Amino acid sequence: GVGKTSIAKSIASALNRKYFRFSVGGMSDVAEIKGHRRTYVGAMPGKLIQCLKKTEACNPVVVIDEVDKMAHKSIHGDPQSALLEVLDPEQNSAFLDHYLDVPVDLSKVLFICTGNSIPREFSSALLDRMEVIEVSGYMAHEKLEIAKRYLMPKARTDTGVTEEQTKIDEEAINTLIRAYCRESGVRNLQKQIEKIYRKAAFKIVESLPSKKEVVEVDSKSLADFVGKPIYTSDRLYNTTPPGVVMGLSWTSAGGAPLYLEITNRFRGFNNIQGSLMATGSLGKVLNESASIAYSYARVYTMQHFESKISPLVESTLHLHCPQGAVPKDGPSAGIAIVTGLLSLVLQQPVRQATAMTGEVSLKGKVLRVGGIKEKILGARRAGVTCVVMPEENRCDWDELDDVLREGIQVHFVSHYTQ
């Protein structure tokens, strides 16, 4: 819902070329791309030859949609490997379709592949033939403009109501974006706006012919049209106690704060080493990151606060990430876990309205992470005023819009001791 297909259509329009789109989501048969041999009953050419036939052009813009959901290997072959010949500029000048059995020149075709992510099983050879462009999600003010300029006029046309009959104020749209539609794109926002106009149209028709009703929607009456808010608050704690720290996570719906709670479960018996257990639907990488952070926290405490190290070496500590039904993974919570452990040991709360993201190594190095724009968006929604991030991410911060950076103080660190 961030406009990948719309961008492809705009490229075709700007270049004055024909546009063709086909989806490879769930495709497991190589013949869909390479065509069937004519010896089979019902044989037909592959999608690329069909594209050239339909567009009647040798240089169309071809969008290969949902390329990340294509099957990797099956009894019918490997479609990802079949795409290598299509996308490789050194080979596609003589693309061989099994049905035609003659070379076809695809070198003039502009291929645009779209997907929601790059899965681990995705072919590295195929990825090497592509130039990856990440399309990030929209900010709140961008969604507001899209809603006012495009989504609302389209919904009015579809439902048959006029601008004078239905009035939605700007604050209602902002509430809709903030409390109902936090995904990266605007697809869910479009559904909610269409729902408002459908209910408004029903009220207008219901009032006829006795009177001509004007439906006004503001932030107070919004719940009557779209239901109760889905998202209420991003702040799990107004004031974080010792052992609680706010990290930043990246999700498919954008960034969000990730609270980490650490408590002293019980003190071990004689000759029993301290340990750390983790809960909250944590993935393998995040569990490894927690183990590294625990090891570094013990070393750091021994070097700087030796008299207070007993909870780390004699007790079982419990690390928990709330919202246990939501899977969480990745290394970017490393420095947050270390900070949470030190906060518990020293019984000092972390500075309020502060969030941090960054991978930590066993020697305390703070390493680069991804998704900075989405994480900053999540931090702004949670009211964060100070963010700690790796020094290597300074270039990502500099690329952000001034609107996004305003009001947030950032500390760049290359080592945890900073």
Side-chain angles (χ1 to χ4, degrees):
V2 295
K4 298 184 294 294
T5 308
S6 300
I7 291 172
K9 287 181 179 179
S10 299
I11 291 173
S13 176
L15 296 176
N16 196 23
R17 293 194 190 185
K18 298 290 183 65
Y19 172 82
F20 185 84
R21 172 195 167 275
F22 69 95
S23 176
V24 294
M27 181 187 291
S28 59
D29 192 353
V30 171
E32 292 284 333
I33 299 170
K34 301 275 288 182
H36 302 81
R37 298 192 184 276
R38 291 194 298 273
T39 54
Y40 296 110
V41 176
M44 58 191 301
K47 290 288 187 183
L48 280 308
I49 301 301
Q50 294 179 38
C51 158
L52 298 180
K53 178 184 176 183
K54 186 173 181 179
T55 58
E56 299 179 348
C58 64
N59 62 344
V61 174
V62 178
V63 175
I64 305 176
D65 215 352
E66 310 295 352
V67 73
D68 58 320
K69 301 173 184 65
M70 183 168 45
H72 184 46
K73 287 183 179 179
S74 71
I75 58 173
H76 301 291
D78 186 0
Q80 291 190 20
S81 298
L83 272 182
L84 288 174
E85 185 182 357
V86 175
L87 299 179
D88 192 339
E90 300 297 327
Q91 300 181 46
N92 62 12
S93 58
F95 173 73
L96 186 66
D97 185 90
H98 289 159
Y99 185 86
L100 297 181
D101 204 25
V102 292
V104 178
D105 186 5
L106 297 178
S107 60
K108 297 178 182 178
V109 178
L110 176 60
F111 292 101
I112 301 175
C113 301
T114 68
N116 298 109
S117 61
I118 302 177
R120 292 182 181 177
E121 62 272 11
F122 196 77
S123 170
S124 57
L126 182 58
L127 193 64
D128 189 50
R129 265 79 173 178
M130 301 178 180
E131 180 181 348
V132 180
I133 301 174
E134 294 186 1
V135 182
S136 57
Y138 297 114
M139 293 185 286
H141 70 276
E142 293 172 333
K143 287 186 178 182
L144 177 63
E145 290 301 319
I146 292 171
K148 285 162 51 175
R149 297 184 189 182
Y150 175 71
L151 300 181
M152 291 169 64
K154 183 176 183 294
R156 282 196 295 267
T157 303
D158 293 342
T159 54
V161 300
T162 63
E163 193 171 356
E164 291 74 22
Q165 290 174 315
T166 305
K167 297 180 180 179
I168 306 176
D169 67 7
E170 190 171 307
E171 185 58 34
I173 298 298
N174 282 323
T175 304
L176 196 64
I177 294 168
R178 185 173 59 252
Y180 295 85
C181 311
R182 287 190 180 175
E183 75 284 355
S184 299
V186 292
R187 189 171 289 134
N188 194 35
L189 179 61
Q190 179 180 3
K191 292 178 183 177
Q192 299 290 359
I193 289 174
E194 288 173 350
K195 185 188 293 186
I196 292 173
Y197 276 100
R198 282 197 302 269
K199 290 190 176 182
F202 179 76
K203 284 188 175 185
I204 292 169
V205 172
E206 199 175 33
S207 67
L208 294 176
S210 58
K211 62 175 183 177
K212 293 184 178 180
E213 184 171 347
V214 177
V215 179
E216 296 185 358
V217 182
D218 54 24
S219 56
K220 294 181 180 178
S221 62
L222 187 63
D224 298 333
F225 291 86
V226 293
K228 298 295 182 183
I230 300 172
Y231 307 100
T232 52
S233 175
D234 282 302
R235 296 291 290 270
L236 190 62
Y237 292 90
N238 290 326
T239 304
T240 53
V244 176
V245 63
M246 186 195 297
L248 294 172
S249 64
W250 178 89
T251 65
S252 58
L258 176 69
Y259 278 94
L260 301 163
E261 301 174 328
I262 305 173
T263 187
N264 194 336
R265 196 171 177 216
F266 58 81
R267 187 175 293 276
F269 299 102
N270 293 334
N271 301 322
I272 294 181
Q273 295 278 333
S275 62
L276 177 71
M277 66 173 292
T279 57
S281 296
L282 309 186
K284 182 180 178 182
V285 176
L286 187 49
N287 270 304
E288 291 178 352
S289 183
S291 299
I292 293 169
Y294 177 66
S295 298
Y296 179 73
R298 290 178 65 157
V299 173
Y300 185 89
T301 308
M302 179 66 74
Q303 292 174 348
H304 297 85
F305 310 102
E306 186 176 355
S307 60
K308 299 183 179 181
I309 198 174
S310 57
L312 288 175
V313 297
E314 297 177 4
S315 303
T316 297
L317 302 180
H318 187 171
L319 165 67
H320 177 67
C321 295
Q323 297 180 324
V326 180
K328 309 168 190 71
D329 206 0
S332 61
I335 61 173
I337 297 174
V338 175
T339 304
L341 289 167
L342 295 178
S343 171
L344 180 69
V345 168
L346 302 176
Q347 284 299 299
Q348 292 182 4
V350 180
R351 175 182 166 181
Q352 304 303 314
T354 299
M356 50 192 69
T357 181
E359 180 181 355
V360 69
S361 71
L362 271 176
K363 297 297 183 180
K365 285 279 188 180
V366 180
L367 308 178
R368 183 190 181 97
V369 293
I372 294 299
K373 179 179 179 180
E374 288 78 11
K375 290 176 179 179
I376 295 298
L377 278 170
R380 290 190 69 88
R381 281 201 303 266
V384 171
T385 58
C386 179
V387 175
V388 181
M389 69 173 67
E391 176 67 38
E392 295 178 6
N393 285 111
R394 185 185 291 271
C395 57
D396 299 312
W397 170 259
D398 292 338
E399 290 176 359
L400 297 181
D401 294 336
D402 293 337
V403 177
L404 200 56
R405 296 191 295 177
E406 186 180 357
I408 295 182
Q409 182 183 8
V410 177
H411 296 281
F412 297 100
V413 294
S414 57
H415 196 276
Y416 188 81
T417 53
Q418 295 176 307

